[in-house]
Amino acid sequence: MPKDRTPTRIQQKNRAAILEAALNVFSAHGFRGSTVDQIAAEAGLSKPNLLYYFPSKEAIHTALLSGLLEVWLAPLHALNEDGDPMEEILSYIQRKLEMSRDLPRESRLFANELVQGAPRIHEALSSDLKNLVDEKTAILTRWMDQGKIACVHPYHLVFSIWALTQHYADFDVQVRAILGGEDPFEGAGPFVELLYRKLLTP
Amino acid sequence: MPKDRTPTRIQQKNRAAILEAALNVFSAHGFRGSTVDQIAAEAGLSKPNLLYYFPSKEAIHTALLSGLLEVWLAPLHALNEDGDPMEEILSYIQRKLEMSRDLPRESRLFANELVQGAPRIHEALSSDLKNLVDEKTAILTRWMDQGKIACVHPYHLVFSIWALTQHYADFDVQVRAILGGEDPFEGAGPFVELLYRKLLTP
DNA sequence: TCTTGATTTGACCATCTGGTCAAACTCACG
DNA sequence: CGTGAGTTTGACCAGATGGTCAAATCAAGA
């Protein structure tokens, strides 16, 4: 196991390669469906070598999840009370949709975890995530009280945004099977924008 | 392996128990994360006995999926061109939401399969499902052309209904972690009804 | 160059898992 | 009863899988 001191170039490179490979594998097969050999092969390392950098399969998984949670929540963090309410919300939605398009592996990694009861990130949900959502729904509620956007259940508003945008990453196969060759995001962008404009216009 | 003749009472009972147990286990852990022993224990059978009724783990899984696909698509099947457009769509949405509340295991079974690329039901998606959706979006399009509902992308309208309603079953842990003790479906029903009323009112 | 710590690996192990099989048991029916 | 088909199971197997370890290799500073 490498020391905790300043990591060498090799350590940085290999840790990064492992996390990148693990993202590919875990997001495609879930935790239980992925094997250490698979991740090692994808990272271009032997299995014992991989286990030299991370003590176990589970350690890789949690390192991935906790490392990506920040990235995943960044768009919501950026929601700014001082901006124009409708524009703030719509640009949050657009950022989430772009993340589904550009980071589908990350979306599916979390989807895999959540759909199976989030055994490994349950605590993060009810602490970090809940705090963030509480904070941002408070902003939404204030906007509603001020009549700047229509009055709807703020938590379910957030859920709906997550559901709508992440659907395109998580259930990509289904969407594409139905749309045929058409690019899903071509139509999705205008659709969700129209939807939330109509919903939130006072 | 039991004969193909008219199944005995024992066969009916055990097959049903196996599928019920498999639904519990597969929906909670995914295909790869579930073991035959787990399913057998849950069904109150020994592993060899279970494999007397189904030739393999995969056979149980496909039997489950194909058996439930019909149930899963029934609400969309029921969408009737001759009814009142807005009421037809809203009651489709309510039925889907009720299914998320009453059949969350079924929802998660499909979610698990889809998020991992639907390796076992890919063909059903691009044949049965696509045909059904094509048929029903044609109805939606006609309603839009007649000015009976607002004009939006019909495929993305369907996707949004799936995403919004199934979110409450598939990501149940997350929803509950954020809502605290509140019943998710209490607020979800009125929220989605308002959302689609605003979206689809011409 | 030499030394020392960092890195890599082949061989190995214990456990889990899907699946098999022959033998035993049960049940309906003549 | 008795019998034959239907049902159940303990014992077992082969392969996969997470993880270990001692030995080998490499890399950079003295």
Side-chain angles (χ1 to χ4, degrees):
Chain A
M1 177 167 36
K3 297 294 169 71
D4 274 349
R5 321 258 164 177
T6 53
T8 69
R9 248 174 308 169
I10 295 180
Q11 277 176 38
Q12 290 188 330
K13 196 195 67 176
N14 282 348
R15 275 182 178 273
I18 290 169
L19 290 175
E20 169 72 14
L23 177 55
N24 276 330
V25 176
F26 282 138
S27 68
H29 307 290
F31 179 77
R32 192 58 156 53
S34 305
T35 74
V36 177
D37 279 297
Q38 247 178 316
I39 300 171
E42 185 102 4
L45 301 174
S46 66
K47 181 168 63 170
N49 199 9
L50 181 149
L51 290 168
Y52 169 72
Y53 290 100
F54 289 89
S56 69
K57 179 185 174 183
E58 182 130 8
I60 304 173
H61 194 247
T62 55
L64 244 196
L65 282 174
S66 54
L68 288 174
L69 193 59
E70 195 184 348
V71 175
W72 202 240
L73 297 182
L76 185 52
H77 255 298
L79 190 83
N80 177 12
E81 178 153 20
D82 300 329
D84 175 69
M86 184 69 82
E87 292 312 313
E88 282 291 323
I89 295 172
L90 288 178
S91 81
Y92 169 56
I93 292 165
Q94 285 306 325
R95 276 197 299 274
K96 284 293 286 177
L97 200 54
E98 283 161 20
M99 287 183 71
S100 278
R101 187 192 56 201
D102 300 334
L103 308 174
R105 296 175 305 169
E106 284 79 350
S107 188
R108 284 193 279 263
L109 182 76
F110 287 112
N112 260 303
E113 185 67 10
L114 287 176
V115 79
Q116 291 179 16
R120 278 165 261 274
I121 54 166
H122 203 279
E123 67 160 293
L125 294 185
S126 35
S127 58
D128 298 352
L129 180 60
K130 176 159 175 52
N131 288 341
L132 176 61
V133 173
D134 282 348
E135 180 191 324
K136 297 305 182 178
T137 50
I139 296 177
L140 295 174
T141 303
R142 257 168 267 141
W143 284 342
M144 291 174 196
D145 290 343
Q146 296 164 6
K148 292 180 174 172
I149 55 174
C151 198
V152 301
H153 194 305
Y155 286 101
H156 289 282
L157 173 58
V158 172
F159 294 155
S160 74
I161 293 170
W162 290 348
L164 266 177
T165 55
Q166 293 174 8
H167 186 85
Y168 291 98
D170 299 342
F171 304 128
D172 179 74
V173 262
Q174 183 175 251
V175 168
R176 288 182 193 274
I178 286 168
L179 283 184
E182 187 185 339
D183 174 19
F185 293 94
E186 205 83 22
F191 177 84
V192 298
E193 169 148 359
L194 174 63
L195 187 151
Y196 283 102
R197 232 179 243 290
K198 282 200 175 188
L199 174 66
L200 295 176
T201 298
Chain B
M1 177 169 35
K3 298 293 170 74
D4 276 348
R5 325 242 166 180
T6 52
T8 70
R9 247 175 310 168
I10 295 179
Q11 276 177 39
Q12 290 188 330
K13 196 194 67 174
N14 282 348
R15 276 182 178 272
I18 291 169
L19 290 176
E20 170 72 13
L23 178 56
N24 275 330
V25 177
F26 282 138
S27 68
H29 307 289
F31 179 77
R32 192 59 158 52
S34 306
T35 73
V36 177
D37 279 296
Q38 247 178 315
I39 300 172
E42 185 104 3
L45 300 175
S46 66
K47 181 168 64 168
N49 198 10
L50 182 149
L51 289 168
Y52 169 72
Y53 291 100
F54 289 88
S56 70
K57 178 185 175 184
E58 182 131 7
I60 304 173
H61 194 247
T62 55
L64 243 196
L65 281 174
S66 54
L68 288 174
L69 193 59
E70 195 185 347
V71 174
W72 203 241
L73 297 182
L76 185 52
H77 255 299
L79 191 85
N80 177 13
E81 178 153 21
D82 300 330
D84 175 69
M86 185 68 81
E87 292 311 312
E88 282 291 322
I89 294 172
L90 287 179
S91 81
Y92 169 56
I93 292 165
Q94 285 305 327
R95 275 197 300 273
K96 284 292 287 177
L97 201 54
E98 284 161 20
M99 288 183 71
S100 278
R101 188 190 56 201
D102 301 334
L103 307 175
R105 298 175 302 168
E106 284 80 349
S107 188
R108 284 194 279 263
L109 182 77
F110 287 111
N112 260 304
E113 185 67 10
L114 287 176
V115 79
Q116 291 180 15
R120 279 165 264 275
I121 55 167
H122 203 280
E123 67 160 295
L125 293 185
S126 35
S127 58
D128 298 351
L129 180 61
K130 176 160 175 50
N131 288 340
L132 176 61
V133 174
D134 283 348
E135 181 192 323
K136 297 306 181 178
T137 49
I139 296 176
L140 295 174
T141 303
R142 256 168 265 141
W143 284 343
M144 292 174 196
D145 290 344
Q146 296 164 8
K148 291 180 173 171
I149 55 174
C151 198
V152 301
H153 194 306
Y155 287 102
H156 289 281
L157 173 59
V158 172
F159 295 155
S160 74
I161 294 171
W162 291 348
L164 266 178
T165 56
Q166 294 175 9
H167 186 85
Y168 291 98
D170 300 341
F171 304 128
D172 179 73
V173 262
Q174 183 175 251
V175 169
R176 289 184 192 273
I178 287 169
L179 283 184
E182 186 185 339
D183 174 18
F185 294 93
E186 206 83 21
F191 176 83
V192 298
E193 168 147 1
L194 173 63
L195 188 151
Y196 283 102
R197 232 180 243 291
K198 283 200 175 188
L199 175 66
L200 294 176
T201 298

